[in-house]
Amino acid sequence: MVVPVVAVLAVLIFYPLVNGIWLTFTDQTEANQVAEICTKSITGGEVCRENPNAWSFVGLDNYINVLTGKVGEFWQWTGTTLIWTAAGVAFHYGLGLGLAVMIHREMRFRGLYRVMLVLPWAVPAFISAFAWKFLFNERLGLVNSVLNAIGVDSVAWFANKSTALFVAVVTNIWLGVPFMMVALLGGMQSIPEELYESAEIDGATPWQRFRNITLPGLRPVSMTVILLGTIWTFNMFPIIFLVTEGQPAGSTEILVTGAFRAAFEGIRNYSLASTYGVLILSILLIFSVFYRRVLRKQGEVW
């Protein structure tokens, strides 16, 4: 019964993963990936000769070059990635929890509010990215128009690392909050109403009910969505690539966009891009292992 699933995973995941790990131990690029160079002959056939610059096995050189800063800006990109991820997940969870609490209560047009709040999640990421980039455009954007209307000079949002990263985080919050809200709302609906009724009879305030019933009841859901949100935000490629484009001067690049540029810009360096990919995977695996241990210490089963 599981053979079809295993076969699909083997083709789509396991083989590319193993091949990518193997590439990290080579110096393979677009220019040296073939062992033979074939050219057309006068007679119409092909003449092949050995490529003197063919790729070779280099061991751990790629990892050493990346981690020591000889190639790329790994540590700068890692720092930016961690800031980007921490800010995104914190706002995703905080705003998602607040909105979930609000629309969990009985109110008029609650169904309409839910649909409107989920709408950003349904819009393709690249459309939202272009829309927010236009909103923060220095000359034509709505944000600077509002600032000018209240007497504040226009801001060159993408000329400074902090402001450019701020725009990217805002865009990511817009895209990620609906998922958190829906997940946490589902968790709230699974908490027995009798607990709230008993607490209210005992004189508990709304804050006490939230702190002692809602938050503990949401712990299993919260732990899961925080982990998923961390992994997704860490690997969120389109927002950085489309909104800030790594500007200014590459200071807002994160690890996944750095890996993309190594693989597809200039002379395509497949071995370097694969090295970034393996390092990204390693960071997330280490985080997941420690995260799981923390959950176990807290008595959570995962």
Side-chain angles (χ1 to χ4, degrees):
M1 296 293 290
V2 299
V3 169
V5 176
V6 172
V8 171
L9 290 177
V11 172
L12 298 181
I13 297 178
F14 298 144
Y15 171 73
L17 177 61
V18 172
N19 188 57
I21 294 174
W22 162 250
L23 284 175
T24 65
F25 299 110
T26 70
D27 61 355
Q28 190 172 143
T29 66
E30 183 181 27
N32 66 9
Q33 62 179 326
V34 294
E36 290 185 337
I37 300 175
C38 297
T39 57
K40 294 280 187 180
S41 66
I42 299 176
T43 59
E46 284 189 345
V47 177
C48 296
R49 58 185 176 85
E50 184 178 350
N51 183 4
N53 298 316
W55 63 271
S56 59
F57 183 82
V58 296
L60 297 175
D61 285 358
N62 286 318
Y63 292 99
I64 294 172
N65 291 336
V66 168
L67 295 176
T68 57
K70 292 181 180 179
V71 178
E73 301 290 342
F74 176 79
W75 294 111
Q76 177 184 322
W77 296 344
T78 300
T80 304
T81 304
L82 293 177
I83 295 171
W84 152 262
T85 303
V89 174
F91 280 104
H92 286 168
Y93 185 80
L95 294 176
L97 178 61
L99 291 172
V101 170
M102 290 175 59
I103 63 176
H104 182 59
R105 299 181 301 173
E106 291 293 336
M107 65 175 68
R108 295 183 62 186
F109 308 116
R110 184 170 65 173
L112 177 62
Y113 296 147
R114 289 183 178 181
V115 172
M116 293 176 63
L117 290 171
V118 172
L119 189 61
W121 194 22
V123 177
F126 74 93
I127 294 178
S128 295
F130 286 132
W132 281 96
K133 184 174 183 178
F134 179 75
L135 287 175
F136 283 91
N137 183 275
E138 184 178 358
R139 294 185 297 108
L140 305 174
L142 178 62
V143 175
N144 277 341
S145 297
V146 172
L147 292 177
N148 294 336
I150 60 176
V152 179
D153 293 336
S154 296
V155 178
W157 295 98
F158 301 104
N160 181 274
K161 176 182 178 180
S162 58
T163 54
L165 197 58
F166 169 78
V167 175
V169 170
V170 169
T171 307
N172 190 37
I173 292 171
W174 166 264
L175 288 172
V177 164
F179 166 76
M180 286 287 185
M181 181 195 70
V182 170
L184 294 172
L185 181 60
M188 288 181 186
Q189 292 174 342
S190 67
I191 300 175
E193 287 293 333
E194 293 81 4
L195 296 177
Y196 292 102
E197 294 172 359
S198 299
E200 191 171 0
I201 292 174
D202 292 338
T205 63
W207 169 247
Q208 290 174 327
R209 296 197 296 272
F210 174 76
R211 187 182 62 185
N212 297 301
I213 298 176
T214 303
L215 287 181
L218 287 177
R219 184 176 296 169
V221 177
S222 297
M223 296 300 101
T224 302
V225 296
I226 288 174
L227 177 62
L228 292 175
T230 299
I231 294 173
W232 290 341
T233 305
F234 198 94
N235 287 323
M236 180 61 74
F237 170 81
I239 304 304
I240 296 294
F241 186 77
L242 297 176
V243 175
T244 71
E245 300 178 11
Q247 298 303 317
S251 60
T252 57
E253 295 279 12
I254 58 176
L255 288 172
V256 290
T257 58
F260 173 85
R261 297 190 191 282
F264 297 105
E265 292 188 357
I267 297 178
R268 299 179 178 182
N269 195 328
Y270 304 131
S271 58
L272 179 60
S274 298
T275 303
Y276 283 128
V278 171
L279 290 173
I280 291 169
L281 177 61
S282 300
I283 292 171
L284 292 175
L285 284 176
I286 293 171
F287 169 77
S288 299
V289 169
F290 279 100
Y291 190 81
R292 185 178 181 183
R293 288 185 178 180
V294 171
L295 293 185
R296 283 184 172 180
K297 289 181 180 179
Q298 294 179 354
E300 298 292 339
V301 179
W302 182 69

